[in-house]
Amino acid sequence: MEPFTLESKGRPHSPRELLETALRSAGLIDFFTHSFAADEVGSPKPAPDLYLVACRALGVAPKNSVAFEDSATGIASARAAGLHVAVVPSLAGIDLDHDWLGTSLADPQLLDWAGALDCDRVP
């Protein structure tokens, strides 16, 4: 698996300004080498454009990447792009398509799942 990027969570049409504000306010701005906003691609989610642009920029195949999502729109985008999908729902009681489902990205089982994925390894 490869490192990934961030697109503004929960907002399928989030412009760059909103993404930057969210990253800064969460103290995460320095943790991402790449980020992409919906206003920077041809079609926003649920189209696969954001994920495909991110994979291209990172030089990785979508089949070797994981999308971290919390909404049906984001999941549809990731699936259309061909990524594995890890889900931590933002709303309880909603059944979302997923390859991995958890209650927190800090769940140690997430690393176990990701490590077991059948992805091409890059030397």
Side-chain angles (χ1 to χ4, degrees):
M1 270 190 336
E2 299 297 323
F4 214 110
T5 61
L6 182 73
E7 190 272 333
S8 22
K9 180 182 175 196
R11 296 181 177 96
H13 299 283
S14 298
R16 166 60 53 186
E17 182 180 343
L18 188 56
L19 175 58
E20 296 286 330
T21 299
L23 288 172
R24 270 194 205 88
S25 68
L28 298 173
I29 195 79
D30 295 329
F31 290 94
F32 292 91
T33 57
H34 296 78
S35 66
F36 304 92
D39 61 347
E40 299 169 344
V41 296
S43 297
K45 292 177 180 181
D49 297 24
L50 277 166
Y51 282 114
L52 294 174
V53 166
C55 288
R56 211 171 302 122
L58 293 170
V60 298
K63 69 178 185 171
N64 295 336
S65 303
V66 173
F68 295 94
E69 280 293 347
D70 69 342
S71 71
T73 301
I75 293 165
S77 176
R79 289 285 189 218
L83 281 73
H84 299 277
V85 179
V87 172
V88 175
S90 55
L91 299 172
I94 296 178
D95 186 27
L96 297 171
D97 177 29
H98 61 276
D99 297 312
W100 180 86
L101 177 67
T103 57
S104 168
L105 292 178
D107 185 333
Q109 291 179 352
L110 176 57
L111 288 177
D112 294 339
W113 168 79
L117 289 175
D118 185 22
C119 295
D120 299 331
R121 299 288 178 206
V122 178

